[in-house]
Amino acid sequence: MSRTYAKGEERPPLGGYAAALAAFGGYAAAWAGAVRWSGRTLPARPEPLDLLLTSVATFRLSRLVSKSSVLSPLRAPFTEYQGPQGPAELAEKPRDGARGTVGNLLACPFCVSVWTVSTLTGAALLWPRATRTVTGALTALAGADALQFAHSAMQRKAEGD
């Protein structure tokens, strides 16, 4: 099926993605079960501040997991180093074979975001104060990163003038 699906394009096997999809379904079900078992009720709607913190925290943590130099040893069994990609980030490509599916998921910040937001959402339902502290810290880190980029840009501009 993947051969006709890909129409001659180079694509990882669909079987690996089906396995990843099943794993994610199990992961989400485990969070749902934990929340149900805890007896906690779902909020009527998310708080706007929590949505903001979770969005920024998901972005930052997903970039750390999928691109950071420091976490590259976790991705190395599943990816191949391609070179630097921006400040403190790496470009990596998935390895061939079965490990390639995991590599594709780990090296993709968009893919990691799905798992990250699920984790933060489940954690927020079980431990709202602790999760808000974590999302606040990750949001502060994202803000600090933005300030580092702004400072570097201002420095380059001042030195170029």
Side-chain angles (χ1 to χ4, degrees):
M1 174 165 88
S2 64
R3 193 172 294 156
T4 58
Y5 168 76
K7 295 185 181 179
E9 296 290 322
E10 185 67 32
R11 292 283 302 160
L14 291 178
Y17 286 127
L21 186 59
F24 181 78
Y27 185 70
W31 274 112
V35 171
R36 183 174 174 89
W37 181 76
S38 76
R40 293 188 181 258
T41 58
L42 296 177
R45 65 182 173 280
E47 294 294 324
L49 178 61
D50 288 332
L51 284 175
L52 175 65
L53 290 175
T54 302
S55 296
V56 177
T58 296
F59 163 79
R60 190 66 205 107
L61 187 55
S62 297
R63 297 291 305 182
L64 283 171
V65 170
S66 64
K67 297 291 181 187
S68 74
S69 299
V70 172
L71 293 180
S72 62
L74 300 177
R75 297 186 307 272
F78 309 101
T79 61
E80 293 176 7
Y81 176 75
Q82 297 296 296
Q85 179 182 324
E89 290 193 344
L90 303 177
E92 296 167 321
K93 75 173 195 168
R95 291 186 183 273
D96 292 332
R99 292 187 293 171
T101 300
V102 176
N104 216 355
L105 294 173
L106 284 176
C108 168
F110 298 98
C111 303
V112 174
S113 289
V114 174
W115 293 79
T116 303
V117 77
S118 299
T119 302
L120 293 174
T121 300
L125 292 170
L126 293 174
W127 311 287
R129 291 178 69 184
T131 305
R132 198 169 288 122
T133 299
V134 169
T135 57
L138 287 164
T139 299
L141 179 59
D145 290 347
L147 290 172
Q148 293 289 358
F149 283 121
H151 181 266
S152 293
M154 288 188 305
Q155 241 181 346
R156 281 192 304 274
K157 184 174 178 155
E159 291 167 359
D161 287 339

